[in-house]
């Protein structure tokens, strides 16, 4: 069994996995977006490519975008 310590170099602890599986394990350890919102079921959107996106950040981005467009358009 793998010990899952990042810096462990003991060959007995290594587990051969595909790049995809390794990436999946890495992203599963990230529980919050860069702005601190949780990646939970209600706040996470999965893109067509399989990436996780924060719904709260998406709403904030859209609100900012709409505010900018309404202030520049008469």
């Amino acid at each position: 069994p793998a010990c899952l310590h990042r810096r462990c170099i003991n060959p007995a602890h290594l587990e051969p996995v595909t790049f995809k599986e390794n990436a999946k394990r890495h992203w599963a350890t990230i529980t919050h977006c860069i702005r601190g919102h949780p990646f939970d079921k209600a706040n996470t959107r999965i893109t067509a490519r399989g990436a996780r996106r924060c719904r709260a950040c998406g709403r904030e981005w859209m609100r900012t975008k709409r505010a900018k467009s309404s202030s520049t358009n008469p």
Side-chain angles (χ1 to χ4, degrees), residues 11-70:
H13 293 176
L14 297 177
E15 178 185 7
V17 294
T18 64
F19 176 82
K20 185 175 183 177
E21 177 63 26
N22 194 43
K24 183 178 175 183
R25 289 178 181 181
H26 166 72
W27 290 111
T29 64
I30 299 173
T31 60
H32 290 74
C33 76
I34 60 172
R35 292 187 178 91
H37 304 117
F39 277 129
D40 58 13
K41 197 168 192 167
N43 189 46
T44 305
R45 178 177 64 86
I46 307 296
T47 67
R49 297 179 105 183
R52 296 185 301 177
R53 296 288 182 244
C54 174
R55 290 183 188 271
C57 289
R59 283 190 300 272
E60 289 174 22
W61 178 83
M62 188 56 75
R63 222 180 340 261
T64 304
K65 184 178 174 183
R66 286 182 181 148
K68 284 181 183 177
S69 68
S70 66

